[in-house]
Amino acid sequence: ARVRLLCLRVVLSSLLLSFSLLFFFFFFFQICVTNTMKRLFVLFFLFLLSHVTNSLLRERPKYSDLKVGIVGGGVGGGSLSYFLKKFGNGRANVTVFESRDYIGGRLKHLEYDGAIIEVGGDAFADENVYMLDIVKDLGIEMNPVTGGNAAQNISLGIWDGSTFHSISNSWATYGREIALEAQIVRFKASLSLNYKLRAFKNKPFDSYEDYLWYGSLSSFTSSSSQSFADYWFIGKYLEEVAWEPLTRVIYDQSLSIQVFAGIVSLLPAISDNYSAKLGNSVMVEKMFKYGEADVKLSSRVTTITQQPDGRFQVEYVKGSHNYTQVFDSVVLATPFEFSNIEFRNVKLAPVQKRTYVHWDITIVVAKGFNPKYFGVKSDVPDAVLTMKNSTSPFVAITNQGTTDSGLNIFKISSNKDVSANLKSIFTGIEYVYQHRWDYTFPILDPLAKGEKFQPITLAKSSRGGIYYLNGIESIATAMECSTISSRNVAQKILLN
């Protein structure tokens, strides 16, 4: 009703203005203007009046007519649904296609003996502006986890397969730690400036190169963490014992990764981190619920066809049946390399395919570590990370807390099945759960000169387009990166 009243006011004001101008021109013509000029003025005035009238009466595109299809039910798709509702006031209709039988994508948890155990992404750091805003807005209860203040009670061991290493307390090491911390501070300042500049401009970026321009973040993606560490005299010992074990547990990669991802891998160790009390996938469920999205689980998209009217027909398989739906815009919220979607009548932007690493995740509920396996007589550290040259069958083992009955929960990250090693590593095993993530992280190599990130807009049409969220994973794979990308695409869709 308020919209109709506003439109009525605009029309009446325009009519009043038109008659006032007509009255003024009538007397002006009679006194000052020749007949020829009168005719020209009248023609111009009629043209202007016609243009204003057409502008007022023209049918405007409405958000309520906007249909958006999202392929992928992870944090990228969930936050996109959230931002479409937030920015579009709930007037966009969202349908989500998820090939798995659960919501969350690479966020997944299980419950055992009163404990919530994360099988996928564990937590996000307090530098994650958009994630913190979302959980606060949706009233999601969070738990502090290891890192920052919580890390004070966590013991950490760096394992090479036969010996534990600790960071030296020498003055030389202390000085190198200060040098590394100074670069972390510089990165965080650039990141904060990036958020502020983008908020000030309040316009979506067209590429990830444009995104990195804000705050000069591009300087952190053009070189490897190894060369960065060498340049700032971090020192080989600190690189191998402190930094690289963290890039391995976060991204399963060495210091060959670009600096942006390398420093992001350090943040969980020095920042306060949070996970959802009821499981991180619950955050995604609440995002979709807020966005009033129609989520179709166990639904695999096979084909996207652009129609003559500019809309996109999505064909998908659910069970033994094939279905179709038509959308103004479609968003891929899943890695393009594994989408297996056929595009028809679509002029698709080139997408350079990336190589991914995989994780084998093993959850073990047991009495504790077996000290003999690690060659020690006393307690084993709470978390065991490994060095690049480690002979260990695992990359990392982290302690995820305890069950109601007091048993320890361990999470093993590895590149292979470690079932045969469990009885040697632990004592009193009560429960084991295994999950393989086939595509966890892309290889995070530095961006070579002239090389570009995967595109955001895959195709344009008169009604909308096909957009892609996961190209940002080549900068860093994190919940916050997914929300940065989805927020940007939501603005693009609504402004199109």
Side-chain angles (χ1 to χ4, degrees):
R2 285 187 294 179
V3 173
R4 288 195 296 268
L5 180 60
L6 179 61
C7 292
L8 181 60
R9 287 176 177 174
V10 171
V11 172
L12 291 176
S13 299
S14 300
L15 290 174
L16 181 61
L17 177 63
S18 300
F19 282 118
S20 299
L21 289 172
L22 183 62
F23 184 77
F24 170 77
F25 282 138
F26 175 77
F27 284 98
F28 180 76
F29 290 166
Q30 294 299 323
I31 298 172
C32 305
V33 183
T34 65
N35 289 333
T36 302
M37 291 185 65
K38 286 180 183 179
R39 293 188 184 97
L40 292 174
F41 270 111
V42 169
L43 288 174
F44 174 75
F45 177 75
L46 290 176
F47 168 78
L48 181 64
L49 182 62
S50 174
H51 178 73
V52 171
T53 304
N54 287 336
S55 297
L56 289 170
L57 297 179
R58 186 191 308 137
E59 183 179 354
R60 302 285 186 178
K62 301 176 182 178
Y63 286 152
S64 58
D65 298 328
L66 183 63
K67 292 180 172 58
V68 180
I70 301 175
V71 183
V75 67
S79 55
L80 175 61
S81 174
Y82 168 86
F83 285 123
L84 285 171
K85 168 74 175 291
K86 197 75 175 175
F87 298 154
N89 298 319
R91 291 170 286 179
N93 297 315
V94 176
T95 302
V96 181
F97 304 96
E98 172 53 59
S99 61
R100 301 181 178 98
D101 60 358
Y102 68 91
I103 291 174
R106 283 169 282 183
L107 298 182
K108 181 181 174 67
H109 70 273
L110 58 89
E111 299 180 29
Y112 183 83
D113 192 12
I116 301 294
I117 307 170
E118 295 296 342
V119 180
D122 288 313
F124 62 87
D126 61 3
E127 289 84 4
N128 294 181
V129 175
Y130 296 152
M131 282 299 300
L132 287 172
D133 286 346
I134 291 173
V135 298
K136 182 179 180 181
D137 188 32
L138 299 182
I140 302 172
E141 190 172 357
M142 307 300 291
N143 282 335
V145 295
T146 55
N149 295 327
Q152 297 175 4
N153 299 320
I154 301 295
S155 59
L156 176 66
I158 308 300
W159 176 249
D160 67 5
S162 60
T163 306
F164 278 113
H165 295 258
S166 60
I167 299 175
S168 170
N169 291 322
S170 68
W171 282 107
T173 302
Y174 181 65
R176 297 182 194 281
E177 285 180 352
I178 292 176
L180 180 57
E181 289 175 3
Q183 297 312 309
I184 295 173
V185 170
R186 184 169 74 91
F187 172 79
K188 292 171 70 171
S190 296
L191 189 63
S192 177
L193 182 60
N194 175 279
Y195 281 103
K196 292 175 181 177
L197 290 175
R198 287 189 294 108
F200 177 77
K201 188 174 183 181
N202 195 29
K203 180 182 177 182
F205 49 84
D206 294 322
S207 68
Y208 293 114
E209 290 78 15
D210 291 342
Y211 161 74
L212 292 168
W213 180 86
Y214 296 100
S216 299
L217 286 176
S218 55
S219 63
F220 294 97
T221 60
S222 57
S223 61
S224 70
S225 297
Q226 182 66 66
S227 62
F228 181 84
D230 294 341
Y231 181 84
W232 292 103
F233 302 103
I234 304 301
K236 185 176 181 181
Y237 184 78
L238 200 59
E239 295 168 17
E240 293 180 348
V241 177
W243 194 353
E244 196 160 53
L246 288 169
T247 64
R248 284 168 56 78
V249 69
I250 300 296
Y251 291 122
D252 190 25
Q253 295 170 60
S254 68
L255 288 180
S256 62
I257 64 177
Q258 33 86 353
V259 184
F260 191 111
I263 294 182
V264 165
S265 68
L266 290 169
L267 296 182
I270 61 176
S271 304
D272 290 328
N273 303 282
Y274 308 94
S275 65
K277 185 176 182 179
L278 299 178
N280 287 334
S281 61
V282 172
M283 294 189 292
V284 184
E285 292 175 5
K286 288 186 176 292
M287 292 176 196
F288 281 130
K289 183 177 180 181
Y290 174 85
E292 300 178 2
D294 176 17
V295 181
K296 300 182 183 297
L297 297 178
S298 302
S299 300
R300 180 174 56 86
V301 174
T302 58
T303 307
I304 298 176
T305 305
Q306 184 170 340
Q307 298 182 326
D309 64 359
R311 294 187 297 171
F312 299 93
Q313 178 179 281
V314 172
E315 299 178 39
Y316 66 99
V317 177
K318 184 177 178 67
S320 58
H321 300 284
N322 296 326
Y323 302 91
T324 62
Q325 278 188 249
V326 177
F327 301 96
D328 298 296
S329 290
V330 178
V331 181
L332 298 189
T334 187
F336 184 88
E337 294 84 352
F338 303 97
S339 61
N340 296 319
I341 297 174
E342 179 185 357
F343 295 90
R344 297 175 181 171
N345 301 330
V346 177
K347 188 177 181 181
L348 207 65
V351 181
Q352 183 177 358
K353 294 187 177 181
R354 303 163 295 184
T355 302
Y356 274 70
V357 298
H358 72 271
W359 270 138
D360 281 283
I361 298 297
T362 305
I363 303 298
V364 178
V365 177
K367 184 177 179 180
F369 282 118
N370 179 10
K372 292 182 179 179
Y373 178 84
F374 296 96
V376 296
K377 296 180 180 180
S378 57
D379 294 337
V380 178
D382 297 314
V384 179
L385 309 186
T386 59
M387 301 170 66
K388 182 179 179 180
N389 60 354
S390 173
T391 59
S392 172
F394 57 84
V395 175
I397 303 178
T398 55
N399 191 303
Q400 303 289 300
T402 58
T403 65
D404 285 349
S405 57
L407 293 175
N408 287 293
I409 305 167
F410 299 96
K411 182 178 182 178
I412 305 175
S413 302
S414 63
N415 303 124
K416 61 182 180 179
D417 187 351
V418 294
S419 300
N421 306 96
L422 298 182
K423 289 184 179 180
S424 301
I425 299 173
F426 304 99
T427 62
I429 296 175
E430 182 178 282
Y431 174 77
V432 175
Y433 173 87
Q434 293 179 296
H435 185 90
R436 181 183 175 90
W437 296 104
D438 289 321
Y439 47 92
T440 317
F441 317 107
I443 299 297
L444 296 164
D445 290 336
L447 198 67
K449 187 175 181 179
E451 187 181 2
K452 293 184 177 295
F453 293 101
Q454 290 179 325
I456 296 171
T457 303
L458 297 182
K460 293 182 179 180
S461 76
S462 58
R463 297 291 293 265
I466 301 176
Y467 302 95
Y468 178 46
L469 301 185
N470 292 62
I472 199 170
E473 291 185 343
S474 293
I475 300 174
T477 304
M479 298 183 213
E480 181 72 358
C481 287
S482 295
T483 61
I484 290 171
S485 183
S486 65
R487 184 181 186 274
N488 183 68
V489 167
Q491 288 180 306
K492 279 184 167 293
I493 291 173
L494 295 173
L495 290 173
N496 190 355

